[in-house]
């Protein structure tokens, strides 16, 4: 093993981290929710444009220190887009070949970004095939299957070391309600919710963790039933979150509540949040925001005050041909007017 190259690669990743500032925590207030402060951790400002930048960095370091990634090792990942974009970014940083195995329905803009970073896109017609096809390619090319769905929860140090949970609580320190009432988070791999839930318990915070789950995903039912064999009838229509099977990184016991969110509600919330922020978030952020508003409504009914925190996972500029196209939404998601009225 070329240990000098491994040291060089780890140094390159750490140097890239040092060049990047922490992401912003955006606060806003709503007139109808007195005493409740809303916060968005804006992960869209990472160099590769999404929350998955943190995961990709951790997965590359995990693979390097374990001896799985060597000089010239082809990197293969099963991803619907954002993780692949971020991993392509780090693969280019280390001059490694990168192949993303993804559904044919992945947003065009994400495909363009993967190719911009020098990655190759390998498409499958059935989203459930991304795992087996990734393994096949890794074996064929003598490469490394990154396998975000297995390693996401163990590649990140949940006790701290500048993870997203530590960052949120540090940035909240001088706010009116520094310890959040609730954190609201969608789950793709389950790695971020595992990090948040463990950190909350490790630090002894009185904060609840809610996971919001899209329509075609098994995490909600798994949290209630604990049946690892559950499978959804199709893949999630909200890119980046929701899975058709139970993933190894999803840790149900560190989560206080899982809420099922209709896809039409996610799109309605995404558009509503655009009006609040003055810029476009992605659809998974819409799912997060819908869950945040449900918690806020409960707090208002119970006359509670406090802070709510969720993530702005990526920019809506990645989805001009899908979630921000009314014709596409009508054809693939359906009528969202009922859900829009509930947010007024």
């Amino acid at each position: 093993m070329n240990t000098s190259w491994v040291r060089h690669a780890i140094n390159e990743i750490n140097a890239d981290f040092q060049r990047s500032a922490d992401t912003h925590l955006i606060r806003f207030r709503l007139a109808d929710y007195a005493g409740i402060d809303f916060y968005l951790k804006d992960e869209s400002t990472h160099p590769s444009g999404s929350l998955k930048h943190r995961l990709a960095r951790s997965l590359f370091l995990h693979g390097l220190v374990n001896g799985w990634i060597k000089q010239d090792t082809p990197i293969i990942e099963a991803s619907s887009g954002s993780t692949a974009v971020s991993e392509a970014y780090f693969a280019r940083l280390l001059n490694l070949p990168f192949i993303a195995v993804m559904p044919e329905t992945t947003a065009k803009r994400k495909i363009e970004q993967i190719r911009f970073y020098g990655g190759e896109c390998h498409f499958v017609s059935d989203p459930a095939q991304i795992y087996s096809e990734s393994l096949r390619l890794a074996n064929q090319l003598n490469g490394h299957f990154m396998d975000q769905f297995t390693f996401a929860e163990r590649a990140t140090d949940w006790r701290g070391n500048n993870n997203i949970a530590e960052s949120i609580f540090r940035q909240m320190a001088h706010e009116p309600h520094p310890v959040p009432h609730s954190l609201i988070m969608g789950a793709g791999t389950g790695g971020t919710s595992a990090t948040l839930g463990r950190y909350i318990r490790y630090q002894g915070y009185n904060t609840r963790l809610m996971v919001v789950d899209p329509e075609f995903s098994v995490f909600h039912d798994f949290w209630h039933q604990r049946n690892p064999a559950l499978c959804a009838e199709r893949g999630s229509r909200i890119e980046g979150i929701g899975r058709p099977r139970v993933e190894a990184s999803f840790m149900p016991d560190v989560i206080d509540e899982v809420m099922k969110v209709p896809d039409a509600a996610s799109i309605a919330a995404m558009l509503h949040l655009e009006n609040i922020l003055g810029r476009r978030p992605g659809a998974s952020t819409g799912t997060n925001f819908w869950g945040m508003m449900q918690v806020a409504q409960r707090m208002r009914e119970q006359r509670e005050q406090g802070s709510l925190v969720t993530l702005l996972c990526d920019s809506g500029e990645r989805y001009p041909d899908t979630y921000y196209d009314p014709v596409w939404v009508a054809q693939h998601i359906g009528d969202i007017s009922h859900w829009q009225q509930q947010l007024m």
Side-chain angles (χ1 to χ4, degrees):
M1 182 177 179
N2 188 344
T3 56
S4 64
W5 181 85
V6 171
R7 288 195 300 271
H8 162 75
I10 292 172
N11 184 68
E12 280 291 290
I13 293 174
N14 288 334
D16 180 82
F17 174 71
Q18 292 300 320
R19 291 192 298 269
S20 301
D22 200 355
T23 58
H24 297 289
L25 190 64
I26 302 168
R27 185 180 74 181
F28 62 92
R29 289 169 171 155
L30 301 175
D32 293 338
Y33 293 87
I36 301 176
D37 293 329
F38 299 83
Y39 297 84
L40 289 170
K41 179 75 165 157
D42 186 2
E43 296 293 287
S44 72
T45 58
H46 283 293
S48 61
S50 80
L51 165 68
K52 299 300 184 180
H53 193 84
R54 295 178 188 268
L55 173 60
R57 180 171 58 221
S58 295
L59 288 170
F60 267 92
L61 290 171
H62 194 244
L64 286 163
V65 299
N66 283 325
W68 302 335
I69 299 175
K70 305 175 179 66
Q71 189 171 10
D72 300 322
T73 299
I75 305 298
I76 295 91
E77 183 62 286
S79 171
S80 65
S82 287
T83 301
V85 172
S86 296
E87 289 184 6
Y89 171 93
F90 283 103
R92 187 176 75 169
L93 185 71
L94 303 182
N95 197 27
L96 297 174
F98 178 76
I99 301 173
V101 180
M102 57 177 57
E104 293 173 344
T105 55
T106 300
K108 179 181 176 182
R109 196 66 63 88
K110 287 184 179 177
I111 295 168
E112 292 171 350
Q113 288 181 304
I114 292 165
R115 290 173 175 162
F116 170 78
Y117 289 124
E120 177 184 338
C121 299
H122 183 92
F123 298 103
V124 296
S125 56
D126 180 0
Q129 295 174 338
I130 62 174
Y131 315 97
S132 58
E133 188 62 9
S134 295
L135 279 170
R136 186 190 70 78
L137 284 172
N139 290 330
Q140 176 185 318
L141 301 172
N142 194 27
H144 172 57
F145 174 29
M146 198 71 91
D147 197 3
Q148 59 168 323
F149 300 107
T150 296
F151 294 108
E153 58 87 10
R154 66 196 73 173
T156 301
D157 184 354
W158 50 266
R159 290 165 294 189
N161 194 20
N162 217 21
N163 68 34
I164 191 169
E166 183 182 53
S167 177
I168 287 171
F169 281 92
R170 182 177 66 249
Q171 290 177 315
M172 287 291 296
H174 299 291
E175 297 302 311
H177 305 284
V179 177
H181 175 285
S182 297
L183 299 179
I184 299 94
M185 181 65 217
T189 62
T192 302
S193 61
T195 298
L196 292 170
R198 289 163 165 173
Y199 187 83
I200 289 168
R201 284 157 178 74
Y202 181 65
Q203 296 293 341
Y205 290 123
N206 187 27
T207 299
R208 289 177 55 81
L209 175 62
M210 172 194 278
V211 165
V212 283
D213 200 34
E215 203 167 312
F216 294 100
S217 176
V218 301
F219 289 139
H220 173 271
D221 291 345
F222 174 65
W223 188 80
H224 285 280
Q225 301 174 20
R226 306 302 167 100
N227 177 7
L230 287 172
C231 289
E233 60 189 68
R234 55 159 296 168
S236 172
R237 296 183 296 191
I238 306 300
E239 287 192 26
I241 58 172
R243 300 301 306 157
R245 71 175 195 181
V246 180
E247 303 295 353
S249 286
F250 183 75
M251 312 293 289
D253 293 325
V254 304
I255 298 164
D256 297 297
E257 180 181 359
V258 180
M259 175 181 287
K260 180 69 78 173
V261 178
D263 292 346
S266 292
I267 304 306
M270 176 193 78
L271 296 173
H272 189 71
L273 187 57
E274 179 190 9
N275 293 329
I276 294 172
L277 297 178
R279 60 190 177 100
R280 290 181 164 184
S284 61
T285 304
T287 310
N288 290 345
F289 183 55
W290 179 268
M292 174 183 264
M293 293 308 300
Q294 306 316 299
V295 177
Q297 289 174 18
R298 293 180 195 168
M299 292 174 66
R300 183 174 61 181
E301 291 168 1
Q302 297 169 10
R303 304 194 178 199
E304 293 181 295
Q305 295 187 355
S307 56
L308 299 174
V309 182
T310 192
L311 305 186
L312 199 166
C313 302
D314 65 358
S315 169
E317 301 307 318
R318 289 181 167 180
Y319 310 101
D321 304 320
T322 54
Y323 303 126
Y324 282 94
D325 180 350
V327 175
W328 186 94
V329 170
Q331 291 175 346
H332 294 86
I333 304 294
D335 185 6
I336 66 172
S337 59
H338 166 72
W339 306 101
Q340 288 177 308
Q341 290 171 6
Q342 292 196 33
L343 289 164
M344 291 179 178

